[in-house]
Amino acid sequence: MKLAMIGLGRMGGNMARRLMAAGHEIVAFDRDADAVAKLAAEGAIAATSLDDVRAKLEQPAHWWIMLPAGEITDATIDAIAAGAQPGEVVIDGGNSFYKDDIRRAKALKERGLDYVDVGTSGGVWGRERGYCMMIGGPEEVVARLDPVFAALAPGMGTIDRTQGRLDGQTDPRAEQGYIHAGPAGAGHFVKMVHNGIEYGLMQAYAEGFDILKGKASDKLPEDERYDLNLTDVAEVWRRGSVISSWLLDLIALGLAKDAKLEQFSGHVADSGEGRWTVDAAMEEAVPAHVLTTALFARYRSRVENTFGDKMLSAMRFGFGGHVEIPQ
């Protein structure tokens, strides 16, 4: 399939590469001309503007947008829609707010255009490992795009099949690493909650390692102090422990490179999904103690921070390439 990739940053560029490796044609555009040139050298079709992208696509055109949530995504979608022909599809694979998806889908439908929202998880490792995707939009459009999603997804890999899942009664795509979650907004809603849970998991690890580190404090009785090797603790927990996970793998990598995590500020950013998850919990009257506390901990880190906050920064850098810069 031939499609446009608009936004060639940490995610978009590598997604385009994975798609090209699977035989798909990519028309690439980014405001950074160097990013376009680099991808073109690897086989993409370079474009210098959205109009140039359109001239190099086939009808019905398929546009995949990988841009920060908010005004820039809205402006890009509006620009695409202004020159679009009926039947074209706009796919937002960033971390947009699901209510924005609902609004965009309605507006594009009035123009005869389709909108698909794709909550995408995989970070900087996705090119190699594949991307977990949660998809919202019209069923027939999602089905038509299946070759693209299948190419981006991780596939079955070495993960054992879940006992009790019945063939014919569950979506087989889930085992491949992607699902059609429902209509417009459903994909980003599921991804939003995924990221809210991620905040909680990360905070639990950060607090645990903070407690381990604090055991060496001279505020404790001497015979109760332990100078624990956190690098070894992370490593042993990776092997057979019930709390092993990819996040723990990233912690182990970070500590192996820098046991004191001195390269990280501990000023932990949030990209919006945690806030939106808490908002959804409030709208639904669902208690979300852990997720809310994890979000507030990130706010606190911008005033005063701990070793655990540096660990949060290390995890964010590990999976997403996020660099924490104090403001």
Side-chain angles (χ1 to χ4, degrees):
M1 181 176 288
K2 191 173 189 178
L3 73 159
M5 183 64 72
I6 311 300
L8 307 176
R10 289 187 300 263
M11 293 281 284
N14 280 341
M15 292 173 75
R17 292 179 177 92
R18 188 172 173 92
L19 286 169
M20 289 190 297
H24 296 281
E25 289 186 274
I26 298 297
V27 181
F29 175 66
D30 192 286
R31 291 186 297 183
D32 181 352
D34 289 341
V36 176
K38 185 175 181 180
L39 200 64
E42 299 175 46
I45 302 168
T48 57
S49 67
L50 292 179
D51 286 339
D52 191 28
V53 172
R54 183 179 306 284
K56 293 173 178 176
L57 290 174
E58 300 166 355
Q59 287 297 325
H62 296 83
W63 304 75
W64 191 303
I65 299 172
M66 290 300 295
L67 297 171
E71 293 181 3
I72 186 171
T73 295
D74 273 327
T76 302
I77 292 173
D78 288 344
I80 292 170
Q85 299 180 28
E88 293 190 30
V89 181
V90 177
I91 308 156
D92 179 11
N95 280 326
S96 288
F97 184 40
Y98 78 98
K99 292 184 181 181
D100 288 338
D101 293 320
I102 296 170
R103 168 178 55 80
R104 292 169 184 159
K106 290 178 180 177
L108 291 178
K109 187 175 182 180
E110 292 176 356
R111 294 172 173 260
L113 310 177
D114 288 306
Y115 180 83
V116 174
D117 54 286
V118 183
T120 309
S121 182
V124 296
W125 299 80
R127 180 183 179 184
E128 175 185 349
R129 293 168 57 112
Y131 299 89
C132 173
M133 291 168 290
M134 298 132 271
I135 305 161
E139 186 171 352
E140 66 279 6
V141 179
V142 173
R144 190 167 77 238
L145 289 166
D146 191 73
V148 172
F149 300 134
L152 288 170
M156 286 285 290
T158 60
I159 299 174
D160 293 337
R161 299 193 72 183
T162 300
Q163 294 183 10
R165 273 187 70 87
L166 300 177
D167 291 335
Q169 298 182 29
T170 52
D171 187 343
R173 293 172 294 189
E175 292 186 312
Q176 301 297 322
Y178 65 108
I179 58 170
H180 181 207
H188 277 146
F189 183 80
V190 175
K191 176 57 162 51
M192 177 191 79
V193 177
H194 163 285
N195 283 24
I197 293 170
E198 178 185 288
Y199 280 33
L201 293 172
M202 292 170 69
Q203 187 64 29
Y205 281 123
E207 292 177 7
F209 277 91
D210 235 350
I211 295 168
L212 292 170
K213 184 176 183 294
K215 197 58 175 170
S217 172
D218 58 11
K219 296 178 182 179
L220 296 173
E222 187 172 356
D223 62 352
E224 294 182 12
R225 299 176 200 165
Y226 304 137
D227 186 12
L228 299 165
N229 186 317
L230 302 188
T231 305
D232 286 347
V233 171
E235 188 63 30
V236 75
W237 281 354
R238 292 181 61 219
R239 303 178 183 278
S241 163
V242 297
I243 62 167
S244 60
S245 71
W246 185 29
L247 287 174
L248 186 58
D249 294 345
L250 296 174
I251 290 171
L253 283 170
L255 290 172
K257 294 177 181 177
D258 176 10
K260 295 183 179 180
L261 301 179
E262 291 179 333
Q263 73 180 94
F264 299 103
S265 68
H267 177 104
V268 189
D270 71 284
S271 52
E273 298 90 340
R275 305 183 196 192
W276 301 336
T277 302
V278 171
D279 286 344
M282 294 176 67
E283 290 176 356
E284 300 168 21
V286 173
H289 308 291
V290 173
L291 277 57
T292 303
T293 302
L295 174 63
F296 289 171
R298 294 194 178 196
Y299 296 163
R300 187 262 309 139
S301 77
R302 299 165 204 173
V303 179
E304 57 179 5
N305 46 62
T306 65
F307 177 78
D309 296 324
K310 291 184 177 183
M311 184 156 286
L312 288 174
S313 292
M315 282 185 273
R316 295 188 82 240
F317 179 78
F319 65 72
H322 303 289
V323 178
E324 311 286 18
I325 301 175
Q327 298 177 350

